[in-house]
Amino acid sequence: MNIAPITDENAPWKQRFRLSLSRGYLARCNYERGLVVSNKSGIYQLYSWNVSNGELRQLTQHTTGKEKGMISSDGQSIYYLNDTQGDEIGHLICINTETDEQIDITPDMKPYSIITMKTDYISKTLAYLISDKENGFQLFTRSMISTTFGPPNLIYQTSNFTENFAISYDGQLVVIETRDTEKGAGSNLVVFDTRNPKKHIGTLDDGMDVNIVPKQFASLSNDTRLLAKSNRSGIYRPFIWNVSTNERIDFASEQLGNEGDVTPLDWSSDGKLILLLHIHNATFQVYSYCIDDGILNKLTEQPSGVIFDAQFSPNGSIIVQWETSNMPLQTISLNGKTGAFEQIMLKSLINDQIPPSHLRRSVTFPSSDGQLIQGWLTLPVTNDNNGPLPTILDMHGGPEDVSPNRFGPQTEVWVDHGFAHLSINYRGSITFGRTFQHKIYSNIGYWEIEDVVAARTWLIEQGIAQANVIFLTGWSYGGYLTLLALGKHPNLWAGGMAGIAVVDWTIQYEDSAERLRGYQKTLFGGTPEEKPELYITASPITYVEQIIAPVLIIQACNDTRCPIRPMKNYEAKMHQYNKNCEIEWFDGGHSLNNVEQTISHIERMLQWVQRVLNTNKT
C-alpha cells in the first residue's frame, strides 16, 4: 500500500479537490440572471451570474464561506443568511444585484436559523421560514418593491419540525409542510391566506407515516394548483392539488412502473408541462409530462449521470445540474424533447485537466433481516487483484440523503493509495422507498449499524477486504454511525474516522439550534424527556468503554448542528478509559467550504491511517 504521495502538492487527489466547482441557478422569470455558488476563490462564496456573457461577480466574502443563497424570481435580489463563523445562526441579508447594496431585512430580531426562503413569481412577496429556541418555527411574508420591504407578517408558528413551503403566483397563498410526532414519520400540508393568516384555507393529509412535499404553484395568475409529491403508495409519486377546490390529480403512468421515486422538478410558465425525475437502481431519468393529454415523454437522449435539479427555459430547452463519476458538477442545457446535450451553461473547471477517476460499480448485499442494501464499490488498479485489500467503509450524512454515482474526490483519495472503498446507502437513505427510509424512525442507530456490519461481512466474503484492515468513516450522520459502530461492534474494525459527528443525542438536543431539535423529535418520536432510554441507546457516548480500535475525530468549533459540549464530554470519557482517541478542532461550522482546509483534514486522515497500520504491524 502506497501512502507516500500524501505530501505531494501535485498529487491527483489534491488536484481533484482543487478543481473550481460551480452550481448555477437561473432566476425563474428572468433567465438572463442567475446565482452561482463557487469555490473559484478557494472558498465557496455567492456570485451574481450574467447568463448571456457568463460573467460572475462575487457578492460575499465570508471567511468560512457561503454555499447557500436564493435569487428572486425577477433576478433583482439575492438572499443569504449572514451568520458568524459558519454557525448557521444570524440575519437574512438582501443584496441588490444592480448596486451590490446589502440590507439586513430583520435588524430588530434576535439571530435565527433559516430553513427556506422564496419569492413569489412576480417578486412582490418574500417568504422566509426561520427557527429559534424561543419561538420554534415561524413563517413570515414581507411585501417588497426591489429592496424595500413592508413589515413582517407572521403566517404560521409551530414547535413541530417544518422545512418546506410553496408560495403562489402573487404571494396570496402559502402551503407549508409540517410534521407532528403523532403522525409518526409522516407530514401534511397546511394552506394559509397571507392577507389573513388566521384564515386557514385547508389541509391535506395522506395518512400515518406518509410524507407530502410541496414543490411549487402554477406560474399563472389566479391559478391555485399546487405541484407536490406523496409517498402514500410506498414510493414518491407526483400529484397536482387545487388548494381552492380540493381537486387532486395523481400522476399514473405504466411507463414509470412501481419502483423508484419520482420527483417533480419544474412546471412550465404556460402551465402545460411538468418536468419529472425518476430515480431507480441508481439511474436518473428525466421526463416531461403534458397535463392536457397525460402523455409522458422520456428524454431518451439525456446524458448518463446524476441529475440534481432541472428547470424549463423560455426557448424550450431544459437547464440541468448534471454530474458523473468522471466529471464534476456542470450546469448544462438539454433539448426539451429528446434530452440531447446542447451546451454547457456554467462550467466548473479552470481547465480540462481532470485526474481520471477509478471505475465505480453498484453492488447489493443482504442485511441481517434479508433487506438488500445498495452501495458503490471502487477498487484500485493494481497488478495483483487476487488478494483482499485494506478497505474504507464510508457512510453518507443525513440520514435522509443518498450516495449516488457522482464525482467523488473523497472516494478517489483512498483508492489512489491502494484501498478498496465502499460507500453504502444504509436504512434511512432516500430514493429506496418509504419503508426503507422510515425503518430507522424511533429506533435510531440500530438498522443503520446492522447494514454497516452486513457490508463488512459481504466485503470479506467476496474476497475484497482484509478482515483486520477495515476502517470506518463518515461526516455528520455518517460520523455518528462511525462512532456508534466502533462502540457496538468493537472487534470488527481497524479504526474509525468521524467528521463533525453526533455523540450524545440528549445533550445534542439541549444545545442544538431549534431546526435540529425539531428534526430530532421527528426521528426519535419524542424529546429526551419522553424517550430517555432510546436517546441513551442511540448515543455513541454510551459505548465508550467497549471501544477497542483507535479513533480520529475532526470537529468544528462553531457547529450548531453538532455542538461542542457533547463532543467535549465524549473526548473526556474516551481519555478517562484510556482509549486511543485523537480530536482535531477547527474554526468553522457544519459545512466544509474551504478547499485547503478540506485537503488538510483528508491529509490528516491519511497520515493517521498510516500510523495505525504501522502500529499494528509492530
Side-chain angles (χ1 to χ4, degrees):
M1 181 175 55
N2 184 13
I3 295 291
I6 64 173
T7 57
D8 181 2
E9 286 303 299
N10 294 316
W13 73 268
K14 291 187 179 180
Q15 292 181 42
R16 295 187 192 96
F17 277 103
R18 290 188 176 122
L19 292 172
S20 177
L21 306 180
S22 299
R23 304 191 302 271
Y25 306 91
L26 301 183
R28 174 163 295 280
C29 300
N30 183 354
Y31 290 87
E32 292 301 309
R33 296 191 178 188
L35 165 67
V36 168
V37 182
S38 176
N39 68 348
K40 62 183 295 186
S41 69
I43 302 176
Y44 279 101
Q45 302 287 357
L46 303 184
Y47 293 77
S48 176
W49 179 21
N50 186 320
V51 178
S52 59
N53 63 20
E55 176 187 344
L56 298 181
R57 191 174 75 258
Q58 187 169 338
L59 298 175
T60 59
Q61 304 281 347
H62 282 242
T63 56
T64 54
K66 189 60 56 181
E67 65 166 357
K68 294 180 181 178
M70 184 270 293
I71 187 167
S72 62
S73 298
D74 61 5
Q76 298 290 326
S77 305
I78 286 174
Y79 299 85
Y80 74 94
L81 182 71
N82 185 24
D83 60 357
T84 303
Q85 291 295 308
D87 65 1
E88 299 181 286
I89 296 177
H91 278 196
L92 186 58
I93 300 297
C94 172
I95 306 176
N96 185 315
T97 55
E98 294 284 352
T99 65
D100 289 354
E101 177 189 12
Q102 299 202 17
I103 300 171
D104 182 343
I105 70 168
T106 58
D108 299 325
M109 292 186 68
K110 294 180 180 179
Y112 49 81
S113 298
I114 277 280
I115 314 299
T116 316
M117 46 190 165
K118 297 179 181 180
T119 63
D120 63 22
Y121 287 85
I122 56 177
S123 294
K124 297 298 183 183
T125 307
L126 168 69
Y128 49 97
L129 177 63
I130 66 174
S131 66
D132 60 39
K133 289 187 177 181
E134 183 177 341
N135 300 295
F137 294 80
Q138 295 177 298
L139 178 69
F140 290 93
T141 60
R142 306 277 290 271
S143 62
M144 52 186 283
I145 301 176
S146 185
T147 54
T148 301
F149 297 91
N153 183 23
L154 178 61
I155 304 298
Y156 182 69
Q157 183 171 359
T158 181
S159 60
N160 294 324
F161 182 62
T162 305
E163 59 179 335
N164 294 302
F165 71 86
I167 185 167
S168 64
Y169 174 87
D170 58 2
Q172 181 178 334
L173 299 174
V174 290
V175 174
I176 306 163
E177 177 195 7
T178 187
R179 302 191 188 190
D180 187 332
T181 54
E182 293 182 359
K183 277 184 57 61
S187 60
N188 57 14
L189 301 184
V190 185
V191 189
F192 290 95
D193 185 334
T194 60
R195 298 170 304 179
N196 182 11
K198 294 182 180 180
K199 184 180 180 181
H200 178 196
I201 303 295
T203 300
L204 186 63
D205 188 341
D206 275 355
M208 189 71 174
D209 290 326
V210 176
N211 299 106
I212 314 177
V213 183
K215 174 58 180 177
Q216 67 191 84
F217 276 92
S219 53
L220 299 170
S221 179
N222 299 317
D223 194 328
T224 59
R225 292 176 300 165
L226 175 77
L227 178 62
K229 65 177 181 178
S230 168
N231 60 7
R232 66 177 177 179
S233 67
I235 50 178
Y236 274 115
R237 286 293 181 264
F239 67 92
I240 293 175
W241 178 41
N242 190 320
V243 302
S244 296
T245 66
N246 208 33
E247 179 186 7
R248 173 171 172 165
I249 302 174
D250 287 274
F251 293 18
S253 174
E254 294 180 359
Q255 194 173 347
L256 291 173
N258 295 315
E259 295 183 296
D261 287 340
V262 180
T263 296
L265 298 177
D266 196 17
W267 199 340
S268 63
S269 58
D270 60 8
K272 295 181 178 180
L273 295 175
I274 289 176
L275 205 57
L276 303 174
L277 177 63
H278 184 206
I279 306 175
H280 177 53
N281 286 341
T283 299
F284 291 67
Q285 179 62 54
V286 178
Y287 294 82
S288 64
Y289 178 82
C290 180
I291 296 176
D292 292 341
D293 55 23
I295 293 178
L296 186 70
N297 177 39
K298 182 179 181 179
L299 276 60
T300 56
E301 297 181 36
Q302 78 169 60
S304 61
V306 179
I307 304 292
F308 291 99
D309 200 4
Q311 64 185 110
F312 290 109
S313 70
N315 64 3
S317 297
I318 296 172
I319 310 302
V320 174
Q321 304 283 341
W322 169 78
E323 182 175 346
T324 73
S325 59
N326 291 297
M327 180 66 67
L329 185 66
Q330 314 280 324
T331 303
I332 63 176
S333 68
L334 305 179
N335 183 285
K337 295 182 178 180
T338 67
F341 173 83
E342 292 182 339
Q343 64 174 322
I344 296 177
M345 302 283 293
L346 185 67
K347 196 171 184 178
S348 283
L349 308 179
I350 294 176
N351 55 57
D352 293 325
Q353 302 303 310
I354 309 173
S357 298
H358 296 81
L359 178 65
R360 193 171 303 159
R361 65 184 176 93
S362 178
V363 299
T364 57
F365 53 87
S367 191
S368 58
D369 61 343
Q371 170 69 55
L372 288 179
I373 304 300
Q374 188 270 339
W376 294 101
L377 178 66
T378 313
L379 300 174
V381 178
T382 64
N383 295 324
D384 180 14
N385 288 319
N386 296 322
L389 298 166
T391 299
I392 301 295
L393 184 50
D394 198 338
M395 289 79 72
H396 63 73
E400 294 183 5
D401 203 343
V402 65
S403 178
N405 186 21
R406 62 183 303 181
F407 185 71
Q410 297 85 350
T411 296
E412 297 297 328
V413 62
W414 295 107
V415 186
D416 280 352
H417 292 85
F419 289 83
H421 184 280
L422 177 64
S423 60
I424 68 167
N425 286 309
Y426 51 81
R427 243 75 67 93
S429 302
I430 60 175
T431 76
F432 296 93
R434 187 182 75 207
T435 300
F436 190 96
Q437 180 181 337
H438 289 177
K439 184 74 171 180
I440 67 172
Y441 278 64
S442 297
N443 197 10
I444 294 300
Y446 178 79
W447 288 109
E448 303 96 305
I449 298 304
E450 290 292 292
D451 299 343
V452 171
V453 172
R456 178 188 183 274
T457 300
W458 180 84
L459 285 165
I460 295 169
E461 290 177 347
Q462 297 297 312
I464 296 168
Q466 296 179 23
N468 63 336
V469 194
I470 300 177
F471 289 88
L472 295 169
T473 193
W475 291 77
S476 190
Y477 200 85
Y480 156 66
L481 294 180
T482 295
L483 298 179
L484 188 63
L486 289 173
K488 294 187 74 172
H489 298 276
N491 296 303
L492 303 185
W493 320 108
M497 298 164 283
I500 48 181
V502 176
V503 291
D504 185 333
W505 286 106
T506 300
I507 304 300
Q508 169 103 356
Y509 183 84
E510 294 175 6
D511 291 4
S512 290
E514 183 61 25
R515 65 176 299 179
L516 273 301
R517 286 159 54 93
Y519 184 53
Q520 267 188 245
K521 284 194 295 184
T522 299
L523 285 177
F524 282 87
T527 66
E529 291 76 18
E530 295 166 336
K531 306 276 186 175
E533 292 301 320
L534 183 56
Y535 273 75
I536 293 170
T537 302
S539 296
I541 197 169
T542 302
Y543 308 96
V544 162
E545 295 177 60
Q546 299 171 205
I547 291 178
I548 296 174
V551 181
L552 172 65
I553 300 170
I554 299 173
Q555 201 79 1
C557 294
N558 301 302
D559 191 350
T560 56
R561 301 192 192 200
C562 299
I564 288 179
R565 186 163 67 112
M567 185 57 74
K568 288 291 186 181
N569 293 344
Y570 185 87
E571 181 180 22
K573 191 171 182 179
M574 288 287 281
H575 291 157
Q576 176 188 348
Y577 287 98
N578 297 315
K579 304 299 180 179
N580 185 344
C581 177
E582 299 178 26
I583 298 187
E584 179 176 309
W585 294 91
F586 69 95
D587 289 332
H590 201 71
S591 298
L592 298 178
N593 294 323
N594 186 314
V595 173
E596 294 305 317
Q597 186 182 65
T598 301
I599 290 174
S600 175
H601 293 331
I602 299 299
E603 195 164 57
R604 172 74 186 273
M605 294 164 71
L606 284 165
Q607 292 169 337
W608 180 85
V609 165
Q610 183 59 41
R611 281 193 283 110
V612 171
L613 292 175
N614 289 342
T615 300
N616 289 345
K617 287 180 182 179
T618 59

